[in-house]
Amino acid sequence: MKQKVIDAVIQSLETELERHSSANAQSNAGAAFSAANAEKQRDTTGFEAAHLAKGYANHALKLRQHIDQLKTMEIEDFTDQEIDIGALVDVELDGEAETFMLLNCGGGIEVEAQGNRITVVTPESPLGKVLMGNIEAGFVELPTGAAGIIQVVC
């Protein structure tokens, strides 16, 4: 199931990469047109479009790195081990069972795998910080006050 989750996250990131690449191309075209057709000395439209294009390009580069990282990620089993990157974790938070996958990227992405909704969390997120290094049957408490128990780690 982990590989299906990772594949779904990769697909989601690739879709986002396509959107950013398209937006980057549009911003680049806008920058070139605006700079060549500035109406006034202080017309900064071209500069703003170029700055936006640079931001899209940087984000697209990071997305490509994340996708490549996920494609080469080794699947590990964390049963009876401390939770780390790649762990699939079932947690009961305030009486509701939820499933999370801890990854270095893709935080917040929700995917369906084998009829289960799985939310990706990163080690930088509040939940990720609490999960990292924890164990099955461990207690978790979030800064929001939500509390629960780790039920299954794999």
Side-chain angles (χ1 to χ4, degrees):
M1 177 154 80
K2 285 184 181 183
Q3 189 60 55
K4 288 183 180 187
V5 173
I6 290 172
D7 290 343
V9 171
I10 289 170
Q11 183 178 13
S12 178
L13 292 176
E14 285 176 338
T15 300
E16 187 176 347
L17 177 62
E18 288 175 21
R19 282 195 311 264
H20 278 275
S21 296
S22 174
N24 181 34
Q26 290 174 358
S27 294
N28 277 325
F33 177 79
S34 296
N37 297 306
E39 293 180 14
K40 297 180 183 176
Q41 181 181 1
R42 296 197 189 345
D43 188 352
T44 60
T45 307
F47 175 75
E48 292 166 2
H51 188 67
L52 188 60
K54 181 180 178 185
Y56 282 128
N58 287 339
H59 192 69
L61 181 63
K62 286 182 184 177
L63 285 170
R64 173 53 52 206
Q65 291 170 345
H66 291 319
I67 291 166
D68 292 343
Q69 179 186 30
L70 288 174
K71 286 183 176 180
T72 60
M73 183 176 174
E74 292 185 29
I75 306 296
E76 295 182 47
D77 183 12
F78 290 93
T79 305
D80 299 324
Q81 296 182 40
E82 290 185 351
I83 297 170
D84 204 350
I85 301 300
L88 193 61
V89 184
D90 289 340
V91 180
E92 182 183 313
L93 282 174
D94 290 340
E96 288 190 38
E98 298 188 50
T99 304
F100 302 97
M101 185 155 188
L102 196 62
L103 296 173
N104 278 325
C105 57
I109 294 175
E110 292 183 347
V111 299
E112 293 285 329
Q114 297 177 344
N116 297 317
R117 185 188 66 153
I118 298 154
T119 305
V120 176
V121 294
T122 62
E124 294 81 22
S125 69
L127 180 59
K129 287 177 184 176
V130 171
L131 291 176
M132 285 290 290
N134 213 323
I135 57 170
E136 191 170 313
F139 180 76
V140 293
E141 185 173 1
L142 298 174
T144 62
I149 296 177
I150 299 170
Q151 296 177 327
V152 178
V153 177
C154 61

